[in-house]
């Protein structure tokens, strides 16, 4: 059997203003037809560079040496015309964020049809019909109607399915999937992995899967290659690498993965683990309803939602995209005004607070968002970003006092003071997220609202950020509303959990008892969709999940 992908002694060097930066050093690997090889490692390990090199997609400042062969075609040194014939026909790529791969101004069907016609001599009508069939094949409901939709009219999971449809349009022998499920909810992620698994089995397509999610690796991969600082440090069958790792780095990586504690679940019952916090309510939503838009296109985002976060406690808010969890958090922040129901913040009616009184209330709330790049001003230094809330809410504070406070809070989040002069884009993802945390805590808030603060981070960086938040909460005593779709993180981090579905609270209670003994079928499906980094256990969980049914919403 000939390998669909052969990489021999690949090295990649990037030319920068500061000199040459080696990204990949002497990497060799193979992918056989019908096989999935997972390439894992933290950000900066070189795994995405290897994936780009496999398809000849390296940027202009990269120099590659060594051998890369896809379906018998030499990629290193190949001309652009030869690479264009290769991409989409012999090999295709599925990117992490479908928004970067889809034209927002072109209808879905037309985009897929263009991929078909780029590599095959078919008519527009034939390509359009094939686009509809591809949408049906990847599980898009009402494919004829969806073919005329624009990308923004589809959910995140549906957009990722469209990208997969484009990738398989010409039956490639190799599929390169770079973090294809990172931004997806666990149920949608499970469905996408089911789809890729079926495609590989049906067509014999080899898959190079680039990811830092060890649960996805356990669920989907046949073999694993672990990268560290541009080199492969361990490779082998998925069960050997994940259950019997030989390299210290692999062991550290696996140790940092949050593990979802699971037991046999029933309909309710079970012992209650932990009690509701006894402190005064810091934020409280009472029968809150929110509607976006008017008339036939109106969307009901929240329906009579009630939840409470008390002083010193962490409440996890979980659910799929569209469940309403982020809208509920925005209501708590005063960013969305409900059409009915009550919202109290620190005992005051937030809906009635105006002017200076409202600003004083909101000064007691810190916010950490999923993407620190979007929430930090790239034109400011780290020190200026962290100090901005002080300039807005503590106008009497002098410049010297502000600098001292910024230095204190940077130290609290385990960042060296010398980083204060740098810009956000000069930091790693984990450092930027800790800058966002420092900014959120600089006013010593009584409530921290964290909306998916670790979903885009590597597991070891995620662990560090969560440890910092936990330590600071113990020291400073703030309450935390933690919005996430990662149930393993919520189980580790939150004392209570609120499960949302379709704008309503599905169930809520102490985290351990709710996740170990869920009362509703929806929560059981949600838990069953979480992949665990144990290939043997994950196969059993996948079978149970399929027996339960995955539900809709992809």
């Amino acid at each position: 059997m000939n390998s669909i992908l052969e990489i021999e002694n690949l090295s990649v060097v990037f030319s920068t203003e500061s000199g040459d930066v080696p990204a990949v050093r002497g990497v060799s690997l193979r992918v056989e037809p019908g096989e999935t090889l997972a390439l894992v490692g933290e950000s900066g390990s070189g795994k995405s560079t290897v994936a780009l090199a496999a398809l000849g997609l390296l940027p202009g400042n990269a120099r590659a040496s060594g051998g890369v062969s896809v379906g018998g075609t030499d990629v290193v040194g190949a001309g652009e015309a030869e690479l264009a014939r290769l991409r989409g026909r012999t090999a295709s790529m599925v990117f992490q964020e479908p928004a970067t791969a889809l034209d927002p101004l072109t209808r879905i069907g037309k985009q897929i049809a263009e991929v078909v016609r780029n590599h095959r001599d078919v008519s527009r009508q034939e390509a359009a019909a094939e686009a509809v069939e591809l949408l049906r094949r990847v599980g898009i409901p009402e494919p004829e109607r969806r073919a005329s939709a624009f990308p923004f009219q589809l959910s995140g999971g549906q957009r990722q399915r469209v990208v997969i449809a484009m990738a398989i349009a010409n039956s490639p022998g190799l599929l390169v999937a770079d973090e294809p499920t990172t931004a997806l909810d666990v149920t949608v992620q499970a469905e996408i992995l089911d789809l890729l698994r079926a495609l590989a089995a049906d067509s014999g397509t080899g898959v190079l899967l680039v990811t830092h999610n060890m649960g996805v690796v356990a669920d989907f991969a046949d073999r694993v290659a672990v990268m560290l600082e541009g080199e492969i440090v361990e490779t082998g069958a998925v069960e050997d690498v994940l259950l019997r790792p030989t390299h210290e780095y692999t062991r550290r990586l696996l140790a940092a993965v949050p593990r979802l504690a699971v037991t046999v679940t029933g309909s309710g019952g079970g012992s209650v683990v932990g009690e509701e916090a006894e402190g005064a309510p810091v934020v409280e939503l009472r029968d809150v309803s929110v509607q976006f838009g008017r008339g036939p296109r109106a969307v009901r985002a929240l329906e009579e939602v009630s939840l409470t976060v008390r002083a010193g406690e962490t409440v996890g808010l979980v659910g799929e995209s569209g469940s309403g969890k982020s809208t509920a958090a925005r209501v708590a922040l005063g960013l969305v005004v409900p059409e009915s129901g009550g919202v109290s913040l620190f005992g005051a009616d937030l809906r009635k607070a105006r002017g200076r009184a409202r600003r004083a209330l909101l000064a007691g709330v810190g916010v950490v968002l999923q993407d620190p790049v979007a929430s930090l001003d790239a034109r400011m230094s780290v020190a200026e970003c962290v100090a901005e809330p002080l300039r807005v809410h503590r106008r009497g504070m002098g410049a010297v006092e502000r600098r001292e406070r910024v230095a204190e809070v940077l130290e609290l989040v385990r960042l060296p003071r010398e980083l204060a002069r740098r810009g956000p884009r000069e930091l790693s993802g984990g450092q930027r997220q800790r800058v966002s945390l420092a900014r959120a805590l600089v006013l010593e808030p009584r409530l921290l609202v964290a909306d998916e603060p670790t979903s885009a981070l590597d597991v070891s960086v995620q662990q560090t950020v969560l440890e910092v938040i936990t330590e600071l909460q113990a020291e400073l005593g703030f309450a935390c509303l933690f919005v996430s779709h990662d149930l393993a993180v919520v189980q580790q981090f939150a004392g209570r959990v609120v499960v949302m579905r379709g704008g309503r609270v599905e169930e809520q209670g102490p985290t351990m008892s709710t996740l170990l003994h869920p009362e509703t079928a929806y929560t059981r499906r949600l838990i069953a969709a979480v992949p665990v980094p144990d290939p043997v256990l994950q196969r059993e969980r996948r079978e149970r999940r399929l027996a339960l049914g995955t539900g809709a919403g992809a």
Side-chain angles (χ1 to χ4, degrees):
M1 180 184 295
N2 293 325
S3 302
I4 185 63
L5 172 65
E6 295 186 35
I7 297 178
E8 295 290 341
N9 199 30
L10 174 68
S11 293
V12 179
V13 175
F14 289 100
S15 299
T16 71
E17 293 180 357
S18 305
D20 287 351
V21 177
V24 175
R25 301 180 178 91
V27 165
S28 297
L29 55 83
R30 296 176 178 233
V31 178
E32 308 298 336
E35 173 190 51
T36 296
L37 172 68
L39 197 56
V40 304
E42 296 172 292
S43 295
S45 64
K47 60 186 188 297
S48 289
T49 301
V50 171
L52 293 173
L55 296 183
L57 291 172
L58 290 171
N61 67 330
R63 301 194 310 273
S65 61
V68 178
S69 172
V70 176
T73 299
D74 232 349
V75 174
V76 176
E80 194 54 44
E82 190 175 11
L83 290 173
R85 287 192 296 272
L86 173 82
R87 300 175 194 136
R89 182 68 177 180
T90 307
S92 290
M93 192 160 191
V94 178
F95 293 95
Q96 174 179 347
E97 178 46 66
T100 63
L102 296 174
D103 183 347
L105 302 179
T106 303
R107 298 181 190 277
I108 292 298
K110 185 177 180 180
Q111 294 190 55
I112 300 174
E114 284 177 356
V115 173
V116 173
R117 298 193 73 216
N118 282 343
H119 294 277
R120 284 184 277 148
D121 185 17
V122 297
S123 68
R124 293 183 185 276
Q125 291 78 10
E126 289 172 322
E130 193 160 335
V132 171
E133 185 54 39
L134 283 163
L135 289 175
R136 181 177 288 109
R137 186 179 174 191
V138 298
I140 295 287
E142 301 179 275
E144 292 86 359
R145 186 169 69 86
R146 295 295 187 183
S148 62
F150 292 96
F152 73 89
Q153 295 175 302
L154 305 184
S155 69
Q158 288 171 337
R159 285 194 294 268
Q160 193 64 296
R161 288 172 186 266
V162 170
V163 171
I164 292 171
M166 294 168 70
I168 66 170
N170 296 297
S171 303
L174 174 68
L175 193 64
V176 179
D178 190 359
E179 301 282 8
T181 63
T182 294
L184 303 178
D185 298 320
V186 289
T187 49
V188 180
Q189 171 181 271
E191 292 169 2
I192 295 296
L193 292 177
D194 289 342
L195 170 61
L196 290 173
R197 188 181 297 107
L199 292 172
D202 293 344
S203 61
T205 300
V207 180
L208 177 63
L209 172 69
V210 179
T211 185
H212 63 252
N213 188 323
M214 293 300 187
V216 169
V217 172
D219 193 32
F220 187 45
D222 301 302
R223 290 190 301 115
V224 184
V226 183
M227 289 195 69
L228 171 65
E229 295 178 355
E231 299 180 347
I232 291 180
V233 297
E234 182 166 0
T235 186
V238 64
E239 291 186 14
D240 290 335
V241 175
L242 296 194
L243 300 181
R244 295 173 290 275
T246 59
H247 197 278
E248 176 58 30
Y249 173 71
T250 310
R251 289 194 287 268
R252 288 203 311 269
L253 209 56
L254 289 167
V257 177
R259 309 286 174 127
L260 182 71
V262 291
T263 63
V264 177
T265 60
S267 58
S271 60
V272 175
V273 181
E275 299 294 336
E276 184 166 316
E278 296 179 355
V282 170
V283 63
E284 188 174 10
L285 276 59
R286 298 180 300 278
D287 298 324
V288 164
S289 294
V290 171
Q291 177 174 297
F292 294 126
R294 295 180 180 178
R297 294 190 176 183
V299 175
R300 207 68 178 162
L302 295 180
E303 190 72 47
E304 297 183 346
V305 168
S306 296
L307 64 88
T308 301
V309 184
R310 298 182 180 275
E313 79 165 337
T314 296
V315 173
L317 198 54
V318 305
E320 299 170 295
S321 291
S323 64
K325 58 186 188 294
S326 289
T327 301
R330 290 169 67 83
V331 169
L333 291 168
L335 298 175
V336 171
V337 178
E339 63 176 352
S340 64
V343 184
S344 65
L345 185 62
F346 313 128
D349 189 334
L350 186 58
R351 298 184 67 182
K352 294 181 179 178
R354 297 286 185 275
R356 187 175 299 176
R358 183 180 178 85
R359 287 196 300 273
L361 279 176
L362 295 176
V365 183
V367 184
V368 181
L369 301 176
Q370 176 177 353
D371 184 5
V373 174
S375 60
L376 298 174
D377 193 329
R379 298 167 297 179
M380 293 182 175
S381 68
V382 165
E384 290 169 332
C385 288
V386 175
E388 189 175 27
L390 295 173
R391 289 194 295 271
V392 173
H393 294 284
R394 304 275 174 85
R395 295 179 181 177
M397 181 180 281
V400 174
E401 194 177 355
R402 274 202 306 270
R403 281 197 300 272
E404 290 176 351
R405 177 59 185 156
V406 168
E408 286 174 8
V409 77
L410 287 177
E411 191 173 323
L412 279 176
V413 298
R414 301 185 192 171
L415 287 176
R417 295 189 177 201
E418 53 266 27
L419 290 187
R421 294 191 182 92
R422 296 188 188 177
R425 296 189 184 277
E426 297 178 81
L427 308 181
S428 69
Q431 287 173 330
R432 282 195 294 265
Q433 197 59 294
R434 279 181 279 165
V435 171
S436 294
L437 180 58
R439 174 189 168 101
L441 297 178
V442 73
L443 292 173
E444 299 179 331
R446 297 165 61 188
L447 171 67
L448 179 70
V449 177
D451 192 353
E452 301 281 10
T454 62
S455 64
L457 302 179
D458 297 323
V459 288
S460 58
V461 179
Q462 171 182 271
Q463 183 184 46
T464 299
V465 171
L466 292 175
E467 285 174 354
V468 169
I469 295 176
T470 302
E471 290 173 5
L472 293 176
Q473 186 179 30
E475 181 179 341
L476 303 177
F478 55 80
C480 182
L481 180 60
F482 189 83
V483 182
S484 180
H485 65 252
D486 191 329
L487 296 188
V489 169
V490 169
Q491 189 181 67
Q492 169 186 310
F493 187 62
R496 286 196 302 118
V497 64
V498 178
V499 181
M500 296 194 65
R501 180 191 188 193
R504 293 179 178 272
V505 173
E506 185 79 1
E507 64 178 295
Q508 60 180 306
T511 301
M512 291 301 290
S513 58
T514 300
L515 297 186
L516 289 177
H517 305 281
E519 295 182 352
T520 68
Y522 172 75
T523 306
R524 289 196 287 277
R525 286 200 305 270
L526 207 59
I527 293 166
V530 179
V532 297
D534 180 325
V536 177
L537 179 58
Q538 181 54 30
R539 277 195 293 271
E540 298 172 0
R541 286 176 56 75
R542 187 193 314 145
E543 291 171 3
R544 288 201 298 270
R545 171 176 61 81
L546 294 173
L548 285 169
T550 56

